[in-house]
Amino acid sequence: MNHRLLASASFASLLVALPALAQEADPAALEEVIVTAARTQLPRTAMPSTVEVIGAAEIEQQTALGAAAGEPVATLVPSFSPTRQKLSGAGETLRGRSPLFLVDGVPQSTPLRDDSRDGFTIDPFFIDRVEVIFGSNAIQGVGATGGVVNYVTAEPPAEGAGPTGRVQAATTFDDSVFGDSVGGKLAGIVGQDFGRFDLTAGAAYEARGAYYDGADRRIGFDGAQGELQDSRSWSLFAKAGFDLDANRRLELMINHFELEGDGDYVAQPGNRLTGLPTTSVRGQAPGVQPSNDVSSAALSYTDKTVLGGTLRAQLFAHDYAGVFGGGTFGTFQDPAIAPVGTLFDQSANNSEKLGFKLDWQGDVAPLPGLSALVGIDALRDTTWQGLILTGRDWVPETRYESLAPFVQLNQRLFDGRLNLSGGLRYETVTLAVDDFETLASYNGGQQVDGGEPGFEELLSNVGATFEVVPGLKAYGSFAQGFSMADVGRVLRGIDQPGQDVDTFLDISPVITDNYEIGLEYRRGGFDASIAAFRSETDKGARLVLVNGIYEVAREATEIEGVEVSARYAVSDALRLGGAYASLEGRSDSDGDGEVDTDLDGANISPDRLTLWAETDLTDALSLRVQAGRYFEREFDGQPAANSFEGYDLVDAIAVWRAGFGDVSLGVQNLLDEDYISYNSDTTRPTDNASYFAGRGRTVTLGVTRRF
């Protein structure tokens, strides 16, 4: 595409031309940032892949726009799909594949029955930073075919600090339609160091109003997948640490998050042919309202005195229940219960995880500059999906058990200018399913014999970084990642007699090979990067719409793209930046071994350009303006109605640091653009009930006080 070539060439020229200017401004060395999601205690500069760390200040800016936890990533990372602004993140990908979401290293994703709710499991008020590792990898185990998104929660209070914390009150509303658009939030967190013991605890509550588009129409409600609008959420967070001595620490993290719709509206279908989006009117939504109910806990131990290195152990648990909206869907009908076409039901997806991570990292004494990370991970994930009003099982209880030893080596050469890395991870997986019966709608219901299929996979990675000149890093890498192909969708759809899990179910993992090369320059207030990547798999898991329900197609997919970014501190009071991402993806839709069809909007994001500027107008007043261009796109081999027209969005955030606290004013969609969301515009071409507009101009006014 012309805009891809132009942006890439222009940025490459900028990357070459500006180092001298930046070096004159400030000869500071590269910032040494440790990315905990990578598990190795290496600085960011030694990692041979694209990494983005969204800091606390950036998170506060984005949440000043009323953003939920997943939205800062979607806004600031151009190769991440545009947010759907719904409770479900179905179709939201990183580099065209699903990312693995973590909270302090605890997996939040549900790969056995992927319902795409994993981006909404914690309140952003408790997030200190977000670590994003781009591209397929097996660093954290199953699920990271697109990368890793790790929410790192509030840090412990400083040593000897008395009670410190912050409280926040905010309200959000459409700028021209008040009334039912008004929402509010209250949150607080406090921490104290008591010597060898420290404690941090917080709570948050939010009530969201209805959403309106750029034409002041109430946005349609997704009754099946669930909504953020017209919902209430509350969250509790706690982190306690105990220092056994100067080198050994025990820490417990607990996070609980609940979000539930109020059910005050029902959708009115739009019209795709005339461009009229789905809207909503007041009315009582039937059944139990869609919700997320999530609890995560992690007990971590660190000892820096084991064999000259650091031993880390984490025991974690995760309990998730997601309720979806109901209906008289054909899949739920059973003439033994009610006349066909009259039976109302709805599903709930459940996942319970228990696992541990154990690793040791240290220098290998005989070889100068060589460090090793060795460890073993274990995970047990029990997942099932039931119909909650009639007590039937839609997806049977499925137990995933894995044990994975691994080793990662890093060799520093030439005083650290050259870093060579490589690693292996050996996954042994068993999937256990008991005998079960499918729903009556699957050809009268089928008795399926259970089984315990399994697989073993050796996953590898290799990479190198080289400091060309001070501040300029070149890198290249190959890494493999893996995930499951949503076995729940496959199991629930069995409609032929005489099947058993051992022979019917293909649990071969989605193995993705990720190739990447890049340049990064960070010096003197100037930070820039360019990366090109290719991700391919011989047996992927593409979402395909069948009779209104997404099923999984196991077929080869290839995705390639380029990402560029730059930011520059012009002065102490002015900072500028931007980023660009372009992706192309194709799949083998006819099984002939050649990729022949473009991935659609449910499987890949649009090309995007983002620009931003921040300025401190005075010591007490700052302003940020950010703009995003989503480029138009056509999909070869897909329905013409799925073509994407593109749109532009502009946001603004102002912060006044007053004596009583920080007053923030965030305006989302500043120009009141009237647009159809990317996912709605590029999927379900004949479904008028799922033709959703994006939010119009929306104002968030908040006050935050620190103490």
Side-chain angles (χ1 to χ4, degrees):
M1 293 184 179
N2 291 336
H3 55 77
R4 174 199 287 191
L5 296 175
L6 179 61
S8 301
S10 300
F11 183 83
S13 300
L14 180 68
L15 189 60
V16 173
L18 279 181
L21 173 62
Q23 193 165 346
E24 289 175 6
D26 180 6
L30 293 172
E31 182 183 358
E32 298 290 289
V33 177
I34 302 296
V35 180
T36 59
R39 304 193 56 175
T40 58
Q41 294 297 304
L42 294 173
R44 175 179 170 180
T45 54
M47 298 180 61
S49 59
T50 302
V51 176
E52 175 115 10
V53 178
I54 303 173
E58 293 174 294
I59 294 171
E60 285 195 32
Q61 286 175 335
Q62 299 307 312
T63 53
L65 294 167
E71 292 178 319
V73 179
T75 299
L76 299 175
V77 178
S79 54
F80 199 97
S81 296
T83 175
R84 296 181 63 203
Q85 300 176 353
K86 306 293 185 184
L87 181 56
S88 170
E92 295 179 10
T93 60
L94 175 59
R95 286 188 173 178
R97 301 192 188 277
S98 297
L100 171 63
F101 285 90
L102 308 168
V103 172
D104 285 348
V106 179
Q108 308 290 297
S109 302
T110 57
L112 299 184
R113 175 64 277 278
D114 184 9
D115 61 10
S116 303
R117 296 275 190 89
D118 40 9
F120 302 98
T121 62
I122 186 171
D123 193 285
F125 189 76
F126 306 127
I127 299 174
D128 186 68
R129 69 180 185 274
V130 183
E131 300 170 339
V132 184
I133 301 176
F134 292 65
S136 306
N137 64 79
I139 294 168
Q140 296 283 352
V142 62
T145 54
V148 174
V149 178
N150 184 36
Y151 297 132
V152 181
T153 62
E155 295 292 334
E159 183 178 354
T164 60
R166 56 195 169 99
V167 292
Q168 181 185 83
T171 183
T172 300
F173 51 87
D174 184 271
D175 74 313
S176 57
V177 181
F178 294 92
D180 63 353
S181 77
V182 177
K185 180 173 183 176
L186 293 172
I189 188 169
V190 62
Q192 182 169 352
D193 181 76
F194 297 94
R196 296 177 63 183
F197 174 75
D198 57 78
L199 177 65
T200 303
Y205 173 81
E206 184 169 5
R208 301 168 186 84
Y211 292 175
Y212 285 82
D213 64 17
D216 293 335
R217 296 172 297 228
R218 190 182 288 126
I219 292 175
F221 277 67
D222 190 335
Q225 296 299 315
E227 284 285 347
L228 293 176
Q229 60 175 322
D230 188 42
S231 70
R232 300 172 186 271
S233 65
W234 64 275
S235 184
L236 298 175
F237 171 81
K239 182 180 285 186
F242 183 70
D243 295 319
L244 303 175
D245 55 37
N247 295 304
R248 296 183 298 161
R249 178 175 172 84
L250 192 64
E251 187 171 273
L252 175 66
M253 183 278 295
I254 297 175
N255 172 63
H256 180 76
F257 177 83
E258 289 188 28
L259 185 151
E260 183 175 0
D262 286 341
D264 296 328
Y265 302 89
V266 293
Q268 296 290 297
N271 189 318
R272 289 179 180 267
L273 293 178
T274 64
L276 178 67
T278 303
T279 58
S280 298
V281 296
R282 281 197 173 272
Q284 181 58 47
V288 178
Q289 297 311 303
S291 64
N292 263 20
D293 189 338
V294 188
S295 296
S296 295
L299 181 63
S300 303
Y301 173 73
T302 304
D303 189 334
K304 299 178 181 179
T305 63
V306 177
L307 300 176
T310 299
L311 176 71
R312 293 169 301 194
Q314 184 187 70
L315 177 65
F316 64 84
H318 178 72
D319 189 357
Y320 161 78
V323 175
F324 292 81
T328 55
F329 307 125
T331 302
F332 296 165
Q333 300 307 301
D334 188 339
I337 300 176
V340 173
T342 66
L343 180 58
F344 181 96
D345 215 336
Q346 58 191 119
S347 74
N349 195 31
N350 302 270
S351 174
E352 297 175 352
K353 294 183 180 67
L354 185 64
F356 70 80
K357 301 176 182 181
L358 178 66
D359 61 60
W360 175 90
Q361 181 171 358
D363 294 332
V364 180
L367 297 174
L370 179 64
S371 63
L373 171 71
V374 295
I376 187 168
D377 294 345
L379 174 66
R380 177 168 184 169
D381 183 340
T382 303
T383 296
W384 70 98
Q385 187 174 15
L387 299 182
I388 60 177
L389 300 185
T390 57
R392 295 173 291 168
D393 288 334
W394 193 8
V395 174
E397 183 174 282
T398 307
R399 298 178 299 280
Y400 172 97
E401 296 181 349
S402 73
L403 193 66
F406 61 89
V407 59
Q408 188 76 28
L409 301 176
N410 188 84
Q411 178 68 60
R412 297 175 67 253
L413 298 170
F414 308 117
D415 294 325
R417 290 187 62 190
L418 176 64
N419 284 271
L420 305 177
S421 63
L424 295 171
R425 182 183 177 98
Y426 187 66
E427 285 282 346
T428 59
V429 172
T430 300
L431 196 72
V433 184
D434 294 334
D435 298 346
F436 69 97
E437 182 179 2
T438 62
L439 298 180
S441 58
Y442 296 102
N443 201 15
Q446 305 300 322
Q447 293 290 337
V448 182
D449 292 337
E452 293 190 6
F455 66 82
E456 298 179 359
E457 288 288 345
L458 182 64
L459 304 163
S460 62
N461 70 84
V462 62
T465 69
F466 180 66
E467 186 183 36
V468 182
V469 296
L472 178 61
K473 179 186 85 170
Y475 66 88
S477 65
F478 164 79
Q480 291 182 305
F482 81 103
S483 188
M484 302 297 292
D486 200 337
V487 297
R489 290 185 188 270
V490 178
L491 289 172
R492 75 188 189 188
I494 296 177
D495 60 2
Q496 298 299 317
Q499 305 294 335
D500 69 83
V501 170
D502 281 320
T503 59
F504 174 85
L505 183 62
D506 179 6
I507 71 162
S508 57
V510 179
I511 303 292
T512 51
D513 295 336
N514 190 81
Y515 305 86
E516 182 172 353
I517 58 173
L519 288 171
E520 288 185 359
Y521 184 83
R522 305 181 71 231
R523 198 167 179 85
F526 180 65
D527 182 344
S529 67
I530 181 168
F533 68 90
R534 179 181 176 86
S535 172
E536 56 188 30
T537 176
D538 293 332
K539 203 170 189 179
R542 183 172 67 93
L543 290 178
V544 180
L545 194 62
V546 179
N547 297 324
I549 296 177
Y550 277 105
E551 301 295 347
V552 177
R554 301 301 306 271
E555 56 193 34
T557 59
E558 295 179 0
I559 300 171
E560 60 184 15
V562 61
E563 299 159 338
V564 295
S565 68
R567 63 178 66 198
Y568 182 54
V570 179
S571 66
D572 291 340
L574 178 62
R575 298 163 295 280
L576 305 174
Y580 172 79
S582 179
L583 287 82
E584 295 286 350
R586 294 177 69 80
S587 67
D588 177 13
S589 62
D590 56 12
D592 65 353
E594 299 290 333
V595 293
D596 51 34
T597 303
D598 285 351
L599 295 178
D600 65 7
N603 293 276
I604 199 167
S605 61
D607 297 347
R608 178 157 51 135
L609 173 68
T610 62
L611 299 170
W612 58 266
E614 293 177 353
T615 181
D616 298 323
L617 301 175
T618 69
D619 290 341
L621 183 63
S622 61
L623 175 67
R624 176 184 171 100
V625 178
Q626 58 190 34
R629 168 62 178 166
Y630 300 87
F631 292 97
E632 66 278 357
R633 183 169 222 152
E634 294 184 355
F635 302 92
D636 182 32
Q638 300 291 346
N642 278 353
S643 61
F644 177 54
E645 295 182 358
Y647 52 81
D648 304 293
L649 296 178
V650 179
D651 303 326
I653 306 111
V655 178
W656 173 42
R657 288 171 286 278
F660 56 86
D662 296 344
V663 181
S664 62
L665 177 65
V667 183
Q668 184 181 154
N669 193 358
L670 181 67
L671 304 182
D672 213 15
E673 175 87 356
D674 188 18
Y675 67 99
I676 301 298
S677 68
Y678 174 72
N679 185 270
S680 291
D681 200 16
T682 58
T683 62
R684 299 178 180 267
T686 62
D687 185 357
N688 288 322
S690 299
Y691 192 50
F692 300 116
R695 296 183 78 174
R697 186 186 295 118
T698 306
V699 178
T700 300
L701 179 63
V703 179
T704 302
R705 180 175 177 83
R706 292 172 171 79
F707 57 90

